[in-house]
Amino acid sequence: MSTLCEIRDLTVTYRGQRIPALNRIDLDIVAGERLAIIGESGSGKSTLARAVAGLLPLGAKLAGEMRWSSGQPPLPGRDLGFVFQDPSSSLNPVLDIGEQVAEGARRHLGLSWKTAYVRALKMLERVRIAEPQKAMRAFPHQLSGGQRQRVAIAAALAAKPGILIADEATSALDMVVQAEIVSLLDELVREAGMTLIFITHDIALASGFADRVAIFKDGNLVESGLTGNVLASPSEAYTRTLIASHRDLATPPLIREAAP
Amino acid sequence: MTLLAIENLSKRFSSGGRAVAAVGDVSLTLEPGETLGLVGASGSGKSTLARILMRLLPADAGSIRFEGEDWLSLSGTDLRRHRARMQMVFQDVLGAFNPRATVASVLDDPLRIHDIVPKAGRAQEIAALLDRVGLPASYAGRSIREVSGGQRQRIAIARAIATKPSLIVLDEAVSALDVSIRGRILELLVELQEERGISYLFVSHDLAVLRAVSHRIAVMEAGRLVETGPMRQVIENPQSPAAKALVNAVPRLVTQPTEGPFHDV
Ligand SMILES: Nc1ncnc2c1ncn2[C@@H]1O[C@H](COP(=O)(O)OP(=O)(O)O)[C@@H](O)[C@H]1O
Ligand SMILES: Nc1ncnc2c1ncn2[C@@H]1O[C@H](COP(=O)(O)OP(=O)(O)O)[C@@H](O)[C@H]1O
Ligand SMILES: [Mg+2]
Ligand SMILES: [Mg+2]
């Protein structure tokens, strides 16, 4: 297992803020792993994603180091794909689906438009868009939320990046679609041997497929480790609280049930 | 006596020349003090049903009996009088409140409009409502924008119980909250139900949430009610493909060591 990026003592402070959004983070990203970044809202998950992708807004102060094994940070779009919670923030509403998926492949793989369109169609098939030929000519607003998220994934992967960051990519979707998208992501990154950084507030969702988890709270890294180890024997009280607050179909109900 | 009986309710929308049967021939009932969980994929018609019930949207066909009244034919003073008995809590969006409102004004409105408490007693009632939902009385003077998402949802619940309703419709009311806060809001709702005998129509796309609070569960798919039954029956032995898919989609917390190449790092 080789380390793709060593994050050391990373602190990020947004412009005009006194309190850093991320506070002295030490974390390794391992090549080819599925790393889940878990935390409640405001814990700094998206800030970490933006720092890794080199997409922090202007004026944000970054201290500490990110040491990439390749010697230089990944180029967004080419080396690193990004899928957001709201696909409208990564999709352009006035471009048809074919063009937006083809664009990344054309630019970063040096393809002609014609071959880029062929690649785009293949990507839409890969993410299992219904009627991919027709979808190529559709606009984002004509698709459902789940279909739009599939398009965003196709666009993020069109240039064959080595790293995919999914930031709450399934949080706006209903549960059935969420499960489909998670298994699609899992399959795609596995096949391509990509590194997946999966950001979520849902510890159970991550527990199902991440190799390692990193738990964040208020800008601090609470603990990180192999998923099974952290979930089976968390070393921090906060992790235990997160686990205890989780509800699934095995959690006792809150209502008093009528005697059967 | 049955509190609410919805019969053969239908609603179509036409958008872009295409007709959508958002709600198609839905019938269901709700007893006093009972929670009916309404679950379904996004777009299955849950919010449309909730909005028709709240009289925010007219139905195309069907009828609703609520507290013995022909609910959809009530209008004017009659409707206003009965509206106090059915309240709603939405997903936490600031949009559910006037952004300039203070906590006190949010709670004062229903007390005044529905004539629940005379003016002289309102400050005291507002303090009691805040106390009931677990917020200090000093919050009354705050702007609704200054409070956190979880606190705002407590205020929305206080607003809903202010008029002493027999039914509260909750549409994804806890979906936007962090898990630790979500659990406490669910506990509050269950306590209020036990204390006041309120019925809930609890709309959610998350079966794990509905399992915590529902006595019965109804499953919608493409506008239709495809399955209804006691909570345990629907979750432990779902019959319809839609219910089965929803049950399977709930993420389970896996606490065993992960399979795969990272096992022995
Ligand atoms: N552009 C920004 N300017 C100032 N503060 C920000 C900005 N983006 C995020 N923050 C703050 O940084 C902290 C971490 O935010 P974020 O990384 O978005 O958390 P998460 O993704 O876990 O919800 C929060 O307190 C948030 O309010
Ligand atoms: N105002 C509207 N105009 C047109 N179509 C609508 C409108 N509101 C809802 N719909 C459609 O009705 C269907 C049901 O929507 P909704 O009741 O919001 O579902 P849910 O709450 O289960 O996600 C969807 O196909 C939706 O697109
Ligand atoms: Mg975020
Ligand atoms: Mg809805």
Side-chain angles (χ1 to χ4, degrees):
Chain A
M1 284 330 118
S2 65
T3 304
L4 186 68
C5 179
E6 291 174 13
I7 299 171
R8 291 295 175 270
D9 212 14
L10 178 73
T11 296
V12 175
T13 313
Y14 286 105
R15 170 137 101 206
Q17 303 292 308
R18 270 183 311 115
I19 301 167
L22 275 182
N23 193 22
R24 313 197 64 167
I25 305 302
D26 289 316
L27 183 67
D28 285 352
I29 303 170
V30 178
E33 77 171 335
R34 286 160 302 159
L35 171 65
I37 306 292
I38 298 167
E40 297 197 302
S41 53
S43 58
K45 305 182 296 297
S46 295
T47 303
L48 180 73
R50 285 184 217 120
V52 167
L55 294 173
L56 284 168
L58 226 64
K61 272 209 315 274
L62 195 145
E65 279 187 282
M66 282 182 285
R67 294 195 285 264
W68 292 91
S69 61
S70 62
Q72 57 200 27
L75 183 69
R78 186 191 66 189
D79 308 322
L80 178 144
F82 217 126
V83 184
F84 301 91
Q85 170 168 348
D86 177 7
S88 30
S89 56
S90 42
L91 297 177
N92 186 332
V94 300
L95 294 185
D96 69 34
I97 302 298
E99 184 171 350
Q100 10 209 337
V101 179
E103 158 61 22
R106 192 194 62 85
R107 176 154 19 145
H108 298 297
L109 300 178
L111 306 179
S112 67
W113 273 112
K114 195 160 170 246
T115 24
Y117 269 102
V118 174
R119 167 126 185 99
L121 180 61
K122 210 175 109 207
M123 284 311 301
L124 291 182
E125 286 164 3
R126 282 299 295 114
V127 299
R128 293 193 284 278
I129 291 277
E131 303 185 77
Q133 287 279 10
K134 212 173 133 198
M136 289 283 282
R137 291 186 304 273
F139 290 90
H141 77 270
Q142 295 170 305
L143 305 177
S144 72
Q147 294 287 318
R148 269 202 297 271
Q149 203 55 294
R150 286 173 196 271
V151 170
I153 293 169
L157 298 186
K160 306 184 181 170
I163 308 165
L164 180 67
I165 300 182
D167 188 355
E168 300 275 12
T170 64
S171 306
L173 306 172
D174 69 53
M175 291 261 162
V176 174
V177 180
Q178 165 171 282
E180 288 166 9
I181 298 284
V182 166
S183 83
L184 174 69
L185 279 175
D186 190 37
E187 179 190 317
L188 293 174
V189 298
R190 211 184 270 275
E191 263 177 26
M194 295 173 71
T195 306
L196 174 66
I197 301 177
F198 187 84
I199 296 176
T200 179
H201 63 278
D202 187 336
I203 194 167
L205 188 62
S207 78
F209 78 106
D211 301 304
R212 286 196 311 134
V213 295
I215 315 275
F216 282 76
K217 181 181 196 298
D218 300 333
N220 297 302
L221 175 59
V222 175
E223 67 178 300
S224 66
L226 293 177
T227 307
N229 296 351
V230 172
L231 277 118
S233 42
S235 56
E236 297 297 322
Y238 178 68
T239 311
R240 285 193 285 276
T241 309
L242 263 192
I243 293 171
S245 330
H246 172 71
R247 297 203 142 265
D248 61 22
L249 299 183
T251 318
L254 293 170
I255 47 158
R256 244 174 287 170
E257 295 177 84
Chain B
M1 193 184 69
T2 297
L3 179 73
L4 174 77
I6 296 178
E7 273 180 42
N8 309 109
L9 203 69
S10 293
K11 176 77 188 176
R12 298 176 79 82
F13 289 111
S14 49
S15 60
R18 216 164 42 93
V20 181
V23 173
D25 202 27
V26 167
S27 301
L28 54 83
T29 61
L30 192 57
E31 301 301 319
E34 182 187 43
T35 298
L36 178 66
L38 185 61
V39 72
S42 142
S44 59
K46 306 180 297 295
S47 294
T48 302
L49 180 65
R51 286 162 66 212
I52 295 171
L53 186 54
M54 290 307 299
R55 297 285 312 261
L56 299 172
L57 197 67
D60 293 344
S63 68
I64 298 177
R65 278 203 96 67
F66 173 61
E67 292 193 321
E69 303 285 335
D70 182 357
W71 180 242
L72 296 185
S73 64
L74 289 181
S75 62
T77 326
D78 273 349
L79 177 60
R80 223 167 302 132
R81 194 154 43 84
H82 283 94
R83 258 209 163 125
R85 304 287 293 160
M86 192 193 292
Q87 293 292 314
M88 184 154 187
V89 178
F90 297 90
Q91 186 162 353
D92 174 57
V93 271
L94 256 174
F97 296 103
N98 171 351
R100 277 204 276 277
T102 62
V103 172
S105 73
V106 162
L107 299 178
D108 191 71
D109 282 349
L111 296 175
R112 178 175 41 83
I113 293 165
H114 294 290
D115 226 346
I116 308 288
V117 183
K119 192 161 198 276
R122 279 196 217 129
Q124 198 186 340
E125 179 66 13
I126 289 168
L129 284 167
L130 286 174
D131 179 61
R132 187 60 203 88
V133 298
L135 293 174
S138 62
Y139 269 51
R142 292 202 185 183
S143 151
I144 200 75
R145 306 162 73 109
E146 283 173 322
V147 304
S148 71
Q151 290 166 341
R152 212 174 292 131
Q153 213 54 332
R154 288 178 190 272
I155 293 160
I157 293 167
R159 172 169 69 177
I161 60 173
T163 62
K164 308 197 179 346
S166 58
L167 171 62
I168 300 180
V169 178
L170 300 126
D171 192 354
E172 304 284 3
V174 299
S175 304
L177 303 175
D178 278 325
V179 283
S180 53
I181 296 161
R182 179 185 299 174
R184 274 179 258 130
I185 297 284
L186 293 174
E187 284 165 13
L188 171 65
L189 288 167
V190 169
E191 270 171 39
L192 288 170
Q193 177 170 65
E194 288 179 353
E195 180 182 299
R196 302 172 183 213
I198 305 171
S199 301
Y200 295 132
L201 179 68
F202 206 119
V203 175
S204 176
H205 68 285
D206 185 348
L207 262 184
V209 164
L210 292 184
R211 186 175 183 284
V213 297
S214 306
H215 301 93
R216 282 188 305 133
I217 289 180
V219 182
M220 282 187 82
E221 183 184 29
R224 305 218 155 236
L225 211 59
V226 292
E227 186 164 345
T228 312
M231 178 273 281
R232 283 198 184 270
Q233 183 185 306
V234 173
I235 287 176
E236 287 163 21
N237 191 15
Q239 298 300 308
S240 59
K244 285 179 188 165
L246 287 162
V247 167
N248 284 329
V250 176
R252 278 130 179 100
L253 192 67
V254 181
T255 54
Q256 277 91 50
T258 324
E259 300 287 331
F262 288 85
H263 216 133
D264 51 7
V265 172

